[in-house]
Amino acid sequence: MDYASLSQLRRLHPAWRLLLADHAPLIISFLDAAFIQPNARVLAEAGLRSQLEDLLFQLRETHGEAAFPRSAGDYLNDWADNDKGWLRKFYPPGSDQAHFDLTPATEKALGWLESLTQRQFVGTESRLRTVFDLLQQMIAGTETDQQARLDDLHSRRAAIDREIARVEAGEIAIMDDTAQRERFQQLSGTARELLADFRQVEQNFRQLDREAREQITAWEGSKGKLLEQIFGERDAIADTDQGRTFRAFWEFLMSPTRQQELSEGLARVFELDAVQSLQPDARFKRIHFDWLDAGEQTQRTVARLSRQLRRFLDDQTYLENKRIMQLIQSLEGRALALRATPPEATLMTMESPQAGIHLAMERPLFSPPLRPVIESDVDAGDESDVEPDALFNQLIVDRQRLAGHIRDTLRDRPQATLAEVIERHPLQVGLAELVTYLSIASEDAHASFDDSRQESIHWTDETGTGRLARIQRVIFTC
Amino acid sequence: MTVPEPYDTASDNALSLAVIKLLKGVVYQDDDPDLWQQIMALQPRIRDYVAVLGLVFQLDEAEGYAWLATREDDTGNAPLPRLMSRRQLSYPVSLLIALLRRKLAEADTSGGDVRVILDREEVVSLMRTFLPESSNEARLVDRIDSHINRVAELGFIRRLRNQPDKIEIRRIIKAYVDAQWLNEFDQRLADYQRHITPADDTSDNREGED
């Protein structure tokens, strides 16, 4: 932590620069509310933007219109810019909408700020115990001597035996409230950190991918040597420390018994009075589902990166890419020299990936163009027999209502004819409504027309005259 | 294989669908996973079928796209009429295609994001360097826009839905703009350059003027 490296860190590290940013309170409060509080991994641009717009609106109400002059979209793009690096903006496969994720640096800054404000007390006992547990795990896990392992197992059994004896004697030691609270705090802290780690893990994978690609691009030697260098016997990404620990974590989490254990354990812990007094966030009970979501996202990224990298290393791609870059550079040089006198003629052709099939039969035959007859004389009427109401009393048939009638009729039977629907819900506006029913039926995959049978539909129009329509039978099914 | 064999109608229908879609243009795995499955399953039959039409079925499984190309006949038979038309490309359109190919190659060397999406402005500034200076900025941008449209017609880029200012470079560009094509372009440009600047000293002057 010498002066030079710290001043460089302040200049270059996104986390530090976030803390120095003019709008830091806006950015941090917003990102915390959008990503950290709901344990969200990746958010679509539209949702995030409207959330930010709401916040900006509120802030402008209290701090004046000029407080934050730019639009929400501008801010988001600015924060995702390379020179800021607080958000990662990307287009996931299959979606045309940009998505955002926090960068690990932002997460660090947020986490540090959170540690400034929270924590009612610092539990030291549980942390000391964790240290002992870890020590124990390492010693036991690396012991190769059979006798030493057996000794260890025996001594642990003896300890358990002693405890059983104590419980049988009615001596049950209860963890006191402070110890409970302390452990819960450590539990929830670690659980949240784990969620935060996913971003770092994913970033590490990206970094590994980038390094491999840089090595490939800059490689001058033979292909065989390159493969040896990058892969050795292993997969460039999945077999790193990062890859292995992530896979182990994932397998552990994916086991159904572990998941059940977590669900039940969290539910029980939440019922403890000491824990309740901490007023824990209820969402914490579901944190392992958030882990699953976040882990799956990372899993997908890793799989995609591995696949991409293998493709990039593919013989042809590897050789072509270099050649292509050389050729394009040469091309660009020439194009620049020809800037003032670009070629007018066509130099290049390219085959279209679309077949130009034009069947003669598909071309329309000649038909004389229709000449509309335009009457330009307008006779002025005397308005005596015009009913202007007709303009305003347009009949409106509500398709939704009619569709509702069909559903309603189908509630107690597997199929119903249109006549049955209308019997239950008589036509109110007459023919227009009947036509709408037919239009619904023609678009509905669950409706069929039976040409062989006819049905009569009766209704009464507004003048009180009875009307009858005969139509082919229409059958709606569930 | 020119004699049709009796197949069950369901898979015949799938074959027809696959061939028709391929004749209409590049098929991407991401755009239609179901169709992609069918195409993968029917590969040999598609290959045989389009061979009758003088076409080759091409597939890049890793990149996730499939397309049809004219079969270059080396048997000495009389050449078949072309089913896939050859398009003439103007110089700026050819140049834009090459520049986009470069962008894709660069994106591939720097990271694993499959999709390369550019702003229209980026494309304009990419092109501007190589076009003659114009005092009418708006006209220059319009012209570049029309070049972009031309490249979109060829299927090498597409505009994002609801965001006409965002342009995605489609990966099929790799299949069409290969070293051979670029080399030809480079050669022809070199020929043209020699043609308009017969002596070396004038070419130096020209560069000085720029």
Side-chain angles (χ1 to χ4, degrees), chain A residues 392-404:
Chain A
F392 306 108
N393 295 336
Q394 296 255 358
L395 210 59
I396 302 205
V397 181
D398 182 358
R399 278 178 84 97
Q400 296 298 323
R401 184 172 60 85
L402 302 191

Side-chain angles (χ1 to χ4, degrees), chain A residues 146-216:
Chain A
Q146 191 185 2
Q147 191 53 48
R149 278 220 174 191
L150 279 174
D151 288 349
D152 176 51
L153 287 172
H154 282 306
S155 82
R156 274 197 272 170
R157 184 159 72 189
I160 291 175
D161 284 342
R162 279 197 300 278
E163 197 174 336
I164 290 175
R166 268 204 303 278
V167 174
E168 274 171 348
E171 250 182 82
I172 301 176
I174 305 273
M175 196 183 271
D176 69 24
D177 282 4
T178 309
Q180 287 178 36
R181 274 198 285 273
E182 189 184 329
R183 275 163 186 73
F184 184 76
Q185 230 178 36
Q186 201 188 348
L187 178 73
S188 64
T190 313
R192 277 191 186 278
E193 275 166 29
L194 192 55
L195 200 61
D197 284 346
F198 284 113
R199 288 202 173 88
Q200 187 66 52
V201 169
E202 206 178 307
Q203 164 120 337
N204 287 356
F205 281 129
R206 265 178 229 291
Q207 186 61 33
L208 285 168
D209 176 62
R210 230 188 324 269
E211 279 163 15
R213 275 165 201 264
E214 270 166 25
Q215 239 177 328
I216 298 166

Side-chain angles (χ1 to χ4, degrees), chain B residues 128-183:
Chain B
R128 189 200 300 266
T129 329
F130 300 99
L131 294 182
E133 206 73 66
S134 160
S135 54
N136 189 341
E137 181 77 2
R139 236 182 87 205
L140 183 77
V141 173
D142 281 352
R143 213 173 305 147
I144 294 177
D145 245 349
S146 77
H147 301 327
I148 294 176
N149 286 337
R150 191 83 177 92
V151 179
E153 276 167 35
L154 286 164
F156 295 149
I157 56 174
R158 80 185 178 93
R159 290 170 196 274
L160 295 195
R161 233 171 297 126
N162 308 326
Q163 300 175 82
D165 273 1
K166 300 259 184 227
I167 289 159
E168 176 173 9
I169 305 179
R170 308 226 76 178
R171 301 193 68 86
I172 186 75
I173 198 172
K174 284 176 73 173
Y176 280 84
V177 184
D178 52 7
Q180 195 190 341
W181 189 88
L182 288 166
N183 190 36

Side-chain angles (χ1 to χ4, degrees), chain A residues 91-92 95-96 209-210 213 311 324 330 332 334 339 341 346-352 354-356, chain B residues 23-24 62-63 70 82-83 85 87 89 99 102 108 110 112 115 131 158 161 163 186 188 192:
Chain A
Y91 288 87
S95 164
D96 276 1
D209 176 62
R210 230 188 324 269
R213 275 165 201 264
R311 175 196 307 171
I324 278 171
S330 152
E332 283 180 352
R334 291 189 207 286
R339 186 174 171 179
T341 51
T346 304
L347 291 183
M348 297 301 294
T349 60
M350 183 162 284
E351 185 171 290
S352 159
Q354 288 163 14
Chain B
L23 281 169
K24 279 177 174 291
E63 292 275 13
T70 301
R82 276 187 171 274
L83 197 52
S85 57
R87 305 269 181 93
L89 304 180
L99 293 173
R102 180 193 181 132
D108 278 355
S110 65
R115 304 181 69 190
L131 294 182
R158 80 185 178 93
R161 233 171 297 126
Q163 300 175 82
D186 192 43
R188 292 199 180 167
Y192 172 78

Side-chain angles (χ1 to χ4, degrees), chain A residues 457-477:
Chain A
I457 311 273
H458 301 268
W459 73 92
T460 316
D461 72 7
E462 66 265 47
T463 60
T465 320
R467 299 277 178 181
L468 171 79
R470 244 195 296 278
I471 56 167
Q472 53 180 277
R473 171 176 270 195
V474 180
I475 301 161
F476 297 101
T477 49

Side-chain angles (χ1 to χ4, degrees), chain B residues 32-102:
Chain B
D32 193 342
D34 293 343
L35 177 65
W36 184 257
Q37 278 303 321
Q38 299 275 18
I39 288 179
M40 297 299 279
L42 291 168
Q43 272 186 63
R45 291 185 59 198
I46 295 175
R47 212 175 287 281
D48 289 345
Y49 187 91
V50 300
V52 177
L53 302 172
L55 299 174
V56 199
F57 170 67
Q58 309 262 30
L59 172 77
D60 190 327
E61 207 176 328
E63 292 275 13
Y65 51 71
W67 76 104
L68 299 176
T70 301
R71 187 184 52 201
E72 299 306 332
D73 202 0
D74 46 11
T75 54
N77 294 332
L80 296 168
R82 276 187 171 274
L83 197 52
M84 313 305 261
S85 57
R86 280 202 91 81
R87 305 269 181 93
Q88 308 272 315
L89 304 180
S90 72
Y91 167 67
V93 170
S94 316
L95 191 62
L96 178 55
I97 289 175
L99 293 173
L100 291 170
R101 178 68 183 86
R102 180 193 181 132

Side-chain angles (χ1 to χ4, degrees), chain A residues 115-127:
Chain A
S115 73
L116 287 185
T117 53
Q118 252 197 351
R119 292 267 197 127
Q120 292 122 320
F121 66 100
V122 179
T124 43
E125 186 229 344
S126 62
R127 283 149 81 87

